[in-house]
Every structure is written in C-alpha cells, then in structure tokens.
Amino acid sequence: MTQTKKLSALIVGSGGREHTLANACIKSPLVDQVVAAPGNPGMEPDVECFPVAADDIEGLVSLAVEKAVDFVIVGPEVPLTLGLVDRLNEKGILSYGPKADGARMEGSKQYTKELLLKNNIPTGASASFTKSDAAIEYLKTASFPIVVKADGLAAGKGVIIAEDYDIATKAVRDMIDGAVFGDSGKEVLIEECLFGEETSIHVIVSGKDYVILPTSQDHKQAYEGDKGPNTGGMGAYSPADLIDDDQMKHIEEAIVKPSVDGIAAEGIDFRGTLFIGLMMTKSGPKVLEFNTRFGDPETQVLLTRLETDPVEIMLAAAKGELSSIDVKVKDDYAITVVLASKGYPGRYPKGEVITFPASYGENEIIFHAGTKRSAEGEVVTNGGRVLGVTALGASLEEAAEKAYNLCSQVDFDSKYLRQDIGAKELNRAKA
Ligand code: AMP
Ligand code: GLY
C-alpha cells in the first residue's frame, strides 16, 4: 500500500486487546505517534494516555480532533454501538470499526438472528419475546436445557443456560420484568441449546471484501476443565486445529461469505472485525453470536502471530482497499494465559501491587488488561482480568511452557489463573 505521511493513531479502550492494538501501532512503520483513551500503564512509555472514557463519544471525538489524529482504532463494542465511528467519519477521521448500523449486530441478538435466518446461515432455532407471560407459555412445551438471552449488550452476562423450566422462567422474569440488564433485557431470545466445542472466527471486513484471520480458541469458563461461570475469557491460543482446512472451507462458504454478503445487502458498509462465535455441533458449525470487534484475549494471540503488519490490514479495511491485502501468518503457535483477580467474574479486590520480572524472552509479552498506576506510581490491579501473559513458540507445548513460566514470575496477592489453557488442543494433538 502506498502511504506517504506517517500516521498518528488513537486507540480507544483500556484492556488487553487495546494494549495489543497499541503495540501493533508502535511496531508499525506506518505509524509515528500513538495515543490512547483511556489506555493502560502497559502502554507506557510509548503511548500517551488520556483520561477519556471509552463510552464518552464527544470526549473521544474532541480528543481525536485536538490531537490531529489520522486513524482511530476502536477496541470495545460500546463506543461502536454508540456511533463513535459515525461521529469520527463526520469529522473526516479515518477509523477502524463499524458504524452504529454495523455494530447493531452485536448490540441486538434478535437483529443478528433475523439476518442469519434470512441468509440461510446455520444457527440455533429461537423465538423472541417482549412479554414474560408469552415467553413462559413457550417454555411450558420447550425441552431443556434451553438458553435465555437478553437481546442487548449486557457485559457478557446476558446469557443463561437454563437446565430446567424454573431456571428459565426466573431468567425471563429477571430480564423482562425485573430489568436486571436494563433496556438490554426488554426483549429476550429463547434459543435451542447447542452442544459441541465452542470456537470463533475473526474476519476483517470491508464492504464485500474480507480476510479471515488465523483460527483461535478462547476459554470462557472461570475454572479448569471449562467449569464455573462464564467470563470475558481466561486465555486463548492460536492456531486452533479443531477447525481443519476442509472445515474452514465449509465455514467460509456456509457462514463467512453469506454473512459478509448479507450484511452488505442490508445496506451496511461494514469496515471492521466481524467476530463469529461458533458451536461445532455434530451437524456442523452453527453461529452462536456476532461480535463487531476483536475478541479479548483472542486479539493477543492473533495479532502476535501475524507476519503482515496488522495496522496495514486495518487501514486498508477502513479505506475500502482490503482486496489489495495478502495476510501472512507466522508458523509459530501463540498462547495467552490470563492472570485474573481471585473472585472474578464475581467480586474481587483491587489496588494490589503487581511485581513483574526484570526481563523476559523476546517472544514473550505481558499485556496489561485491568491495571492502573497508583498515586505512589506503582502498577496495581484494577480489574477482574489483570494481565494477559503471552508467548510464541515453535509448538503449542513450547509456547505454553514459556507462558506458564512467565506467569509464575508475575505476582499479586489475589493472582488466579487457569492451568489448562490450550490443554484441549494439546490432547487433540496427542490423540
Ligand atoms: P453469546 O453472547 O450469545 O455468545 O453467549 C455467551 C455464551 O453462552 C457463548 O459463548 C456460549 O458459551 C453460550 N451460548 C450462547 N448461546 C448458546 C446456545 N444456543 N447453546 C449453548 N450455549 C450457548
Ligand atoms: N473473548 C470473547 C470475547 O471477546 O467476546
């Protein structure tokens, strides 16, 4: 791609995904200045962080204008659904991430369900309700387990896998009548429970053009063996060989292409990441959800494995020039192990001092996720997911060994991690 002037980039968000995006900008020959809002201490000293919240749309637009930013990369879903990219585009600022019309696919599960059905894309059967009585009537003849979902954004908590009628009824009442998720739960979807291994595909989309990023797999449950409550993600690895080349061809034909075409047919000029959540069922892969941003912690492993400059890909997508991009991937395996605060995704302490090793290997990175700098200048815990310890290796085994070794050198009082990130893949490889 021809690029004369080097760019000034703004990263929106403060988690591990955003630290990864900031690192990609720092390394990119296309970028000469990186700022973040609100950012995190892991980005220092290369990135100037401004205390503007990721949902403060007008504050972010003002910052981008004031700092003469050329390119904005939006990490989380909330500013996308609030129309940040629409506002930046009005100001003539190039941005990576969909406008509000595209982000609606993450913001409304029913909207996505209708889009999937319209385009014959495999997904679980479902019904949607805005009245609890009608939903409960429906549950009387349903088979269990069944899945009850709040239609809108609920910070990853809006999905209840109900083992029986009573649990499902309570979930419906909580969401519609009790408004536990506010307006997000005014409409609920009751969906067939799908069984199989869960994974996701990241697709960078620009209108009708797309590139599929390498495979990866997250670990959503809090405890080892995929037990316990759902979290934002406790670790990820890439590639995930549970999707082989033939399966990927099938996923591209049956899911990716019709999704991209179907979105364009809605009149949406989508320029950003389409994250397709999949359940690999016995009758083939089925779509669980669309997210319209990069996954966290999937980004940490995906971008670390890219040979092609991720900024070049995102810039091309934002400009509508994605067809000129050839994405090259390293042969290495990557793994990210999340160091969380004990108690997450429930209550957990904050403000604990984190100690880091003085140095570590070249192919090892500690991405900050929930950290901040204390008044005394120390890096302290400030979230459920605190750090994403990442390593590359010639095999998944080697990458995992390096990452876990590095995890043992980082400390804070409530440190909690899953010891089995990548274990399913390692067992598959042995089988
Ligand atoms: P979602 O936000 O729709 O992806 O749901 C969050 C999580 O709930 C998913 O990552 C799955 O682990 C689980 N889930 C969602 N829908 C289903 C379903 N139909 N069957 C089984 N599990 C589901
Ligand atoms: N790690 C799952 C997500 O970002 O939604």
Side-chain angles (χ1 to χ4, degrees), residues 380-415:
V380 299
T381 64
N382 192 41
R385 295 189 292 172
V386 178
L387 301 162
V389 176
T390 302
L392 280 175
S395 64
L396 182 60
E397 217 153 12
E398 187 190 312
E401 201 178 302
K402 281 194 202 168
Y404 277 108
N405 180 35
L406 186 52
C407 285
S408 69
Q409 298 172 58
V410 178
D411 209 17
F412 50 95
D413 287 347
S414 305
K415 178 173 110 175

Side-chain angles (χ1 to χ4, degrees), residues 109 147 149 159 161 191-194 198 220 230 279 288-289:
K109 291 185 190 293
V147 186
K149 298 183 172 186
V159 175
I161 313 243
E191 188 173 290
E192 161 197 10
C193 191
L194 300 174
E198 195 176 337
K220 293 213 176 200
N230 249 343
M279 191 69 93
L288 287 173
E289 62 169 341

Side-chain angles (χ1 to χ4, degrees), residues 15-320:
R17 166 182 52 209
E18 288 76 20
H19 187 183
T20 313
L21 291 165
N23 266 19
C25 286
I26 293 161
K27 281 200 213 142
S28 172
L30 302 173
V31 176
D32 68 357
Q33 199 204 356
V34 192
V35 297
N40 72 41
M43 300 177 185
E44 299 163 356
D46 305 290
V47 177
E48 193 178 355
C49 296
F50 293 89
V52 182
D55 60 357
D56 177 1
I57 304 303
E58 291 316 312
L60 292 167
V61 173
S62 301
L63 178 70
V65 170
E66 199 180 301
K67 297 287 158 197
V69 164
D70 304 298
F71 186 42
V72 180
I73 302 175
V74 186
E77 59 276 17
V78 171
L80 295 170
T81 57
L82 294 175
L84 174 60
V85 172
D86 307 61
R87 292 282 294 117
L88 290 166
N89 287 356
E90 278 163 27
K91 297 277 180 198
I93 302 171
L94 197 62
S95 308
Y96 182 79
K99 291 184 280 190
D101 60 356
R104 191 173 166 206
M105 292 187 294
E106 178 155 1
S108 167
K109 291 185 190 293
Q110 179 58 17
Y111 178 71
T112 293
K113 188 61 91 177
E114 283 166 16
L115 197 138
L116 293 169
L117 295 174
K118 205 185 210 179
N119 293 284
N120 295 317
I121 297 165
T123 185
S126 73
S128 107
F129 300 92
T130 52
K131 298 260 184 301
S132 55
D133 288 350
I136 288 164
E137 207 44 49
Y138 177 87
L139 287 172
K140 283 183 183 153
T141 56
S143 45
F144 294 88
I146 205 159
V147 186
V148 180
K149 298 183 172 186
D151 179 62
L153 295 182
K157 297 190 178 121
V159 175
I160 307 290
I161 313 243
E163 291 301 329
D164 58 36
Y165 173 81
D166 289 344
I167 298 172
T169 305
K170 182 176 181 315
V172 164
R173 288 223 183 279
D174 284 350
M175 288 184 198
I176 298 182
D177 303 334
V180 288
F181 302 118
D183 282 353
S184 288
K186 268 199 197 145
E187 182 169 356
V188 300
L189 262 79
I190 299 183
E191 188 173 290
E192 161 197 10
C193 191
L194 300 174
F195 298 95
E197 198 166 332
E198 195 176 337
T199 185
S200 64
I201 303 282
H202 281 67
V203 188
I204 302 213
V205 181
S206 182
K208 288 195 119 186
D209 296 322
Y210 65 86
V211 294
I212 301 177
L213 293 187
T215 52
S216 66
Q217 191 179 33
D218 186 13
H219 295 63
K220 293 213 176 200
Q221 290 82 9
Y223 312 139
E224 276 137 36
D226 293 340
K227 302 267 168 23
N230 249 343
T231 70
M234 295 298 293
Y237 64 91
S238 174
D241 290 335
L242 96 125
I243 298 179
D244 62 21
D245 288 350
D246 283 347
Q247 221 146 13
M248 189 49 124
K249 249 186 237 149
H250 168 71
I251 291 171
E252 179 165 6
E253 286 308 314
I255 296 175
V256 175
K257 191 152 187 338
S259 297
V260 173
D261 289 344
I263 293 164
E266 295 298 309
I268 299 170
D269 182 9
F270 190 100
R271 299 181 184 199
T273 310
L274 181 66
F275 166 133
I276 305 178
L278 293 175
M279 191 69 93
M280 306 300 280
T281 75
K282 281 197 184 120
S283 55
K286 294 195 176 173
V287 175
L288 287 173
E289 62 169 341
F290 278 169
N291 293 319
T292 61
R293 37 85 193 162
F294 282 111
D296 188 342
E298 291 90 330
T299 310
Q300 288 80 320
V301 288
L302 290 178
L303 296 202
T304 306
R305 287 192 63 229
L306 289 187
E307 189 82 60
T308 309
D309 177 3
V311 178
E312 187 184 347
I313 308 173
M314 291 186 275
L315 204 53
K319 288 180 170 174

